[in-house]
Amino acid sequence: MPFGRAVRTWFQISLQTFGGPAGQIAVMQRALVEEKRWIGQQRFNHALSYCMLLPGPEAQQLAIYIGWLLNGTRGGLVAGTLFVLPGVLALLALSVIYVAYGSTTAVTALLAGLAPAVLAIVAQAVIRVARRSLVHPALIALAVAAFVALAFLAVPFPVVIAVAALVGWLLHRCAPDVLRKGNGRGKEDGRTPLIPDDALHHAQPTWRHAVKVLAVGLVVWGLPLAAVVALTGTGSVFTAQGLFFSGTALVTFGGAYAVLAFVAQRAVETYGWLGPSEMVRGLALAETTPGPLIMVVQFVAFLGAYRDPGGLDPWAAAFLGALLTTWVTFVPCFIFIFLGAPHVERLRGNAAISAALTGITAAVVGVIANLALYFAVHTLFARTHAESWGPIHLQVPEWGSVRFLALGIAVAALLAIFQLGWPVLRTLGACAALGLLAALVGIPVS
């Protein structure tokens, strides 16, 4: 594939990646499999299965993988970078607007309309993943168990994911019929793709290659964080953000929706970088920009660093925190693909890997449902309080503090998505307009 042509195509794809991972994967499917025929359907599905098994945004990792197949290492670097670059720039601009003008009536009204719409979008994600993943009662039970563990028992997110992978593997060993699904080959139009489904990539999985990728990747990943620690100290907000989001990048199985409850809990309750309602607003802003939804961590870091800049100018601190967080979040994706892709090319159809992936994906349904519960409680109610009964821990809303405007917009968003079939951007635009309309007629929007 001519490199210049590939770069132009990846740039065009990067401007269309709205609507979460499902929409982003669909864009690549249409452009690369159906229209250009650069890659076959089976090859596309195989790459996607590996990316879903990894921590991090699977859509960006899929772009890196296919870029690597087409043009080697430089192709993967360009595809992965372009996939996130428009979103990085757009969300930085929105973060600046939020901090500078967030207290104005117009911006407050817009966010008051966007935040409830997020509830409908997350609910749609739960249903989409459930329909694809929960093909047997045992997998439904695994999803329910994951939801209960997170929502009521405060089990750490990485533990839930690890147990889900183990359960998937055990089901493969003890009850393989549970995991039996269709071959997922999809429809082909008869044209031979540039990369045939049965072709092997020329790269050989060697120890020398693995050591080289790890050495270079870890230096590139860790050097900016090490510099920040040396310059600002171990107690700075930048060090805390860099270390936290570096760790998060290694446990974000199942995409952004699956890990956002974990990020929200730590960012809000442990570090105090922003409030619960601001976390929902950040996700709403991330929904309006192209690229992976995990980009919301950039908004979280921007606000946290702005409010605790140390000895720096608040705006300089905000940009430093946001860019450092973006770096440590997305660089591992390149390491995972360049390290594992040569092996994965020779492990097609591995039943054990597929079984672990199936277990994780089933648990992700419960994880996303927990995120929906978290956002619903903090969006629809102004006040909550903690309750504990033995091992059970809950955030209970105060029913007298219900936000009726948010409730009405959330219902409208649900109808738009599930009854009218509106896409995400149209739904967000309509809900933002409802927020503005409420402000114009005098309805409180704060």
Side-chain angles (χ1 to χ4, degrees):
M1 171 56 55
F3 186 62
R5 183 181 176 191
V7 171
R8 290 191 296 272
T9 298
W10 286 115
F11 179 71
Q12 292 167 0
I13 289 174
S14 74
L15 300 179
Q16 305 173 52
T17 52
F18 294 92
Q24 294 156 5
I25 292 167
V27 167
M28 286 187 281
Q29 161 97 19
R30 184 180 67 250
L32 303 176
V33 177
E34 299 171 9
E35 296 177 359
K36 298 182 180 297
R37 296 296 290 160
W38 286 357
I39 184 171
Q41 184 67 60
Q42 295 178 49
R43 197 62 167 272
F44 184 89
N45 290 346
H46 177 75
L48 177 59
S49 295
Y50 171 60
C51 295
M52 290 187 67
L53 189 61
L54 296 172
E58 64 265 30
Q60 189 217 9
Q61 290 166 341
L62 179 61
I64 299 171
Y65 196 122
I66 298 176
W68 172 79
L69 286 175
L70 292 169
N71 296 102
T73 300
R74 66 172 182 171
L77 290 171
V78 167
T81 301
L82 287 178
F83 195 85
V84 300
L85 187 58
V88 170
L89 298 177
L91 194 55
L92 272 177
L94 291 173
S95 300
V96 170
I97 293 171
Y98 178 82
V99 171
Y101 305 104
S103 60
T104 62
T105 301
V107 174
T108 301
L110 283 171
L111 293 174
L114 289 174
V118 170
L119 301 180
I121 295 168
V122 176
Q124 183 187 44
V126 173
I127 293 173
R128 279 181 173 177
V129 178
R131 286 175 175 170
R132 184 181 69 232
S133 309
L134 305 184
V135 297
H136 190 276
L139 298 178
I140 296 174
L142 182 55
V144 173
F147 173 76
V148 171
L150 290 167
F152 303 118
L153 302 179
V155 177
F157 174 78
V159 173
V160 172
I161 293 300
V163 171
L166 177 61
V167 170
W169 180 80
L170 290 174
L171 287 173
H172 160 67
R173 293 296 300 271
C174 304
D177 288 345
V178 172
L179 304 181
R180 188 170 296 159
K181 300 184 292 184
N183 58 24
R185 292 186 177 184
K187 296 181 179 179
E188 300 282 359
D189 65 0
R191 292 180 296 157
T192 302
L194 178 66
I195 303 176
D197 287 326
D198 57 352
L200 285 176
H201 196 277
H202 69 275
Q204 295 292 326
T206 64
W207 282 107
R208 182 179 180 181
H209 171 266
V211 171
K212 180 180 179 181
V213 170
L214 277 176
V216 175
L218 291 176
V219 169
V220 171
W221 185 28
L223 195 58
L225 177 58
V228 166
V229 173
L231 293 174
T232 65
T234 57
S236 72
V237 67
F238 312 106
T239 299
Q241 290 178 346
L243 292 175
F244 172 66
F245 289 114
S246 293
T248 301
L250 302 178
V251 297
T252 52
F253 295 94
Y257 286 125
V259 79
L260 279 177
F262 170 71
V263 171
Q265 182 184 36
R266 297 296 300 276
V268 173
E269 300 173 10
T270 303
Y271 295 106
W273 291 329
L274 73 175
S277 60
E278 289 180 317
M279 186 71 198
V280 180
R281 294 169 187 170
L283 182 58
L285 294 178
E287 291 276 9
T288 66
T289 61
L293 294 181
I294 195 62
M295 196 77 71
V296 69
V297 300
Q298 177 183 290
F299 176 82
V300 172
F302 191 97
L303 264 62
Y306 182 87
R307 292 165 178 171
D308 183 17
L312 297 179
D313 175 80
W315 287 108
F319 276 93
L320 175 60
L323 294 176
L324 176 64
T325 294
T326 302
W327 183 267
V328 300
T329 297
F330 290 107
V331 168
C333 297
F334 295 91
I335 300 175
F336 293 143
I337 297 301
F338 294 148
L339 184 64
H343 297 274
V344 173
E345 281 294 291
R346 286 157 175 79
L347 288 175
R348 294 180 199 166
N350 185 284
I353 291 178
S354 297
L357 171 63
T358 300
I360 291 173
T361 308
V364 161
V365 177
V367 175
I368 301 175
N370 176 55
L371 174 69
L373 176 64
Y374 179 91
F375 283 166
V377 167
H378 291 289
T379 301
L380 303 181
F381 298 90
R383 296 183 300 275
T384 64
H385 63 275
E387 293 282 358
S388 297
W389 300 275
I392 299 176
H393 305 279
L394 291 175
Q395 280 291 327
V396 180
E398 297 182 11
W399 297 102
S401 66
V402 62
R403 295 183 171 116
F404 291 101
L405 175 62
L407 179 61
I409 294 177
V411 171
L414 288 168
L415 292 174
I417 287 179
F418 290 102
Q419 291 295 322
L420 303 179
W422 284 11
V424 167
L425 283 182
R426 183 187 299 178
T427 302
L428 289 170
C431 291
L434 289 175
L436 285 174
L437 180 62
L440 288 174
V441 299
I443 298 175
V445 295
S446 60

